[in-house]
Amino acid sequence: MGKENIYSAFVIPSEVEESLIWMQKDFEILAIDRDSKARCGRLTTAHGAIDTPAFMPVGTQGSVKAVSPRELRELDAQIILGNTYHLFVRPGLDVIKHFGGLHNFMNWDGPILTDSGGYQIFSLAKLRKITEEGVEFQNHIDGARAFISPEIAIEIQAALGADIAMALDECVPYPCDYDYAAQSAQMTTRWAKRCKEWKQENAERPTSNAQPRNPHVNLSAIRNPQSAIERKLLFGIVQGATFDDLRKENAQAIVDIGFDGYAIGGVSVGEPEGEMLRAVESAEPFLPEDKPRYAMGLGTAPQMLEMISRGMDMFDCVLPTRLARNGTAFTATGTLNLKNAEFARDKRPVEEDCTCPACREFSRGYIRHLIKAEEILGLRLITLHNLHFYLNLMNRARSEIERGTFEQFRKAFGAEYKTRDTTAVE
């Protein structure tokens, strides 16, 4: 993109224009919307570049549910997410190391971001004990005890071969007592510092021998172990529950440590949408403009557009795959529960003008039949459609930002989008 296109989205005085475009080793800003904080960027990793805003399909167990890596590539997924805790418990690091890292193990040649296990501190609250040293789990598979410290969390992610590793944090529940939230945020900061220190101290250790097949991969980094190590990115996570002052304080503390990118965690854990947006708004001004920003674990299509307008760059969410398994499809006008009887004779695709495999080849009526008959193909087709919808939404957002029309697009999309009851009506 030429400079004249970069600036087409906004008008700025010449004396400050250079300060508004950043070019870093790993992340560059390509365009900024004139009416919001939305921006287009490019994040470079050892396994290829990621154009932002970007949605990351969730592959908790080393697999995006019901979808193969080949299908993900055909959907133009740029990066997927894996989970440190789940892969550590099963199949275990020895198995993944035996196959040369997570990329080789699952036959995915694009970037991978791995969660640190912090979310499991929240979701497996009855099976864990938190101390200053780390978290002791009674794992959910066989009840065996496992311990993850900040250092162990980063070591596991390095063994997996993650392109982007996340610092270990504590994700507190909603609602949360102020004093506990404050103590937790302070501990998250101390843990984040230990994560960075481990990475710095172990920077010269050999990395995974996975050989990417992506033609956009920086091959010089792969051939040069030290360069490849430097391409392994580490993101810090901002916590603070729903308290503005804690969010601001924790954001500044995490930024002072210095990371390759910054995530806002502890959102979409049951709080009202207004509180979720406020948590991001409180932290965002303290995050460096020249680093990628990741809003963790959300959300619906309108929520992601709201987050983009507030300066967020990266997202992950289980909704596209989870709701697909319940027969729910996403469209530009809202969700459709294809179990409903109204679709039994519907010859239309899930969404008109959609280019996903499900919409190109099958009708709503047929997909409903598959879901009602509990045929696996039905949930696979809806999953492919939903992932295509989320990924295409990010592509559209990038185009609108480049044109300087993102805010108009966001408002129009939100006005048309309706979240319908996902309970089947016979």
Side-chain angles (χ1 to χ4, degrees):
M1 179 183 296
K3 189 171 182 178
E4 65 280 8
N5 291 327
I6 292 175
Y7 295 130
S8 64
F10 50 93
V11 178
I12 53 175
S14 59
E15 64 270 18
V16 299
E17 69 177 26
E18 290 304 322
S19 67
L20 292 176
I21 299 296
W22 306 272
M23 182 67 180
Q24 295 288 321
K25 177 181 177 183
D26 300 309
F27 186 65
E28 57 180 319
I29 300 295
L30 302 177
I32 304 174
D33 182 60
R34 66 162 70 94
D35 297 318
S36 71
K37 294 183 177 181
R39 72 252 193 100
C40 281
R42 183 168 293 127
L43 176 61
T44 301
T45 75
H47 283 84
I50 303 155
D51 291 321
T52 64
F55 175 75
M56 300 179 285
V58 178
T60 301
Q61 308 273 8
S63 170
V64 177
K65 290 189 185 298
V67 181
S68 72
R70 174 184 57 78
E71 289 169 321
L72 288 169
R73 286 189 285 270
E74 291 170 353
L75 291 171
D76 292 328
Q78 302 181 86
I79 175 174
I80 61 173
L81 183 145
N83 184 273
T84 297
Y85 163 79
H86 285 283
L87 293 169
F88 176 62
V89 171
R90 183 174 60 189
L93 292 185
D94 288 345
V95 171
I96 295 176
K97 285 181 178 178
H98 173 76
F99 284 91
L102 185 56
H103 290 86
N104 272 9
F105 187 51
M106 64 179 295
N107 192 32
W108 169 254
D109 56 8
I112 295 177
L113 180 148
T114 48
D115 189 9
S116 64
Y119 184 77
Q120 278 63 51
I121 297 176
F122 161 74
S123 65
L124 302 176
K126 295 180 181 179
L127 302 175
R128 52 78 171 153
K129 178 182 178 182
I130 304 172
T131 68
E132 183 68 31
E133 286 306 305
V135 186
E136 183 176 325
F137 290 93
Q138 184 180 4
N139 87 57
H140 68 291
I141 302 298
D142 58 12
R145 294 192 177 277
F147 179 77
I148 297 180
S149 67
E151 295 81 6
I152 291 172
I154 302 305
E155 186 171 5
I156 293 171
Q157 294 177 83
L160 294 173
D163 297 277
I164 303 174
M166 303 302 298
L168 184 65
D169 65 321
E170 181 185 5
C171 178
V172 297
Y174 175 86
C176 181
D177 175 79
Y178 181 90
D179 289 340
Y180 185 86
Q183 294 171 10
S184 173
Q186 291 165 5
M187 185 174 67
T188 288
T189 301
R190 294 191 295 272
W191 282 1
K193 186 175 181 181
R194 287 166 58 186
C195 288
K196 182 175 180 182
E197 288 172 350
W198 187 94
K199 183 177 184 248
Q200 291 175 327
E201 290 169 2
N202 294 273
E204 295 186 3
R205 287 189 179 185
T207 54
S208 163
N209 60 2
Q211 293 297 316
R213 292 170 295 282
N214 189 327
H216 301 295
V217 169
N218 184 340
L219 293 178
S220 64
I222 298 301
R223 296 188 187 103
N224 182 329
Q226 181 60 31
S227 179
I229 289 272
E230 291 170 355
R231 281 291 186 195
K232 301 296 184 180
L233 308 179
L234 178 61
F235 282 21
I237 304 176
V238 176
Q239 290 290 346
T242 55
F243 304 103
D244 292 354
D245 59 329
L246 296 183
R247 286 283 176 182
K248 295 173 183 177
E249 179 182 308
N250 194 237
Q252 187 61 66
I254 296 295
V255 168
D256 286 344
I257 296 171
F259 289 95
D260 301 305
Y262 298 90
I264 297 179
V267 289
S268 196
V269 292
E271 77 279 15
E273 185 173 291
E275 295 281 6
M276 179 198 303
L277 295 174
R278 219 176 72 206
V280 171
E281 292 169 347
S282 298
E284 183 274 333
F286 297 89
L287 304 182
E289 294 172 317
D290 61 348
K291 300 291 182 182
R293 300 156 172 180
Y294 168 24
M296 302 183 75
L298 59 96
T300 65
Q303 286 172 349
M304 288 192 296
L305 295 181
E306 291 291 337
M307 292 295 179
I308 291 171
S309 74
R310 288 161 172 79
M312 297 297 107
D313 304 304
M314 301 168 66
F315 309 92
D316 77 281
C317 189
V318 298
L319 284 180
T321 50
R322 178 175 292 169
L323 291 190
R325 298 194 298 279
N326 294 325
T328 298
F330 289 90
T331 75
T333 58
T335 52
L336 299 178
N337 189 334
L338 294 173
K339 288 182 179 179
N340 290 350
E342 65 181 289
F343 301 116
R345 296 176 179 269
D346 197 332
K347 295 182 178 181
R348 293 174 295 172
V350 174
E351 185 166 29
E352 299 288 352
D353 300 321
C354 177
T355 59
C356 82
C359 291
R360 286 200 314 265
E361 301 178 35
F362 303 103
S363 67
R364 294 177 178 182
Y366 178 66
I367 294 174
R368 178 186 185 272
H369 158 68
L370 295 175
I371 294 297
K372 297 298 289 184
E374 298 185 350
E375 288 287 343
I376 293 172
L377 178 60
L379 67 85
R380 274 188 27 83
L381 290 174
I382 303 177
T383 299
L384 288 167
H385 169 79
N386 286 351
L387 288 172
H388 176 271
F389 174 81
Y390 267 62
L391 294 165
N392 190 58
L393 181 68
M394 294 296 103
N395 187 52
R396 177 73 184 277
R398 292 193 295 269
S399 296
E400 297 289 348
I401 294 168
E402 289 175 356
R403 287 198 289 263
T405 54
F406 175 79
E407 275 301 278
Q408 297 95 302
F409 166 65
R410 178 188 66 80
K411 291 174 182 176
F413 186 95
E416 291 292 323
Y417 191 91
K418 301 291 185 294
T419 301
R420 303 176 181 90
D421 185 4
T422 57
T423 302
V425 178
E426 294 299 329

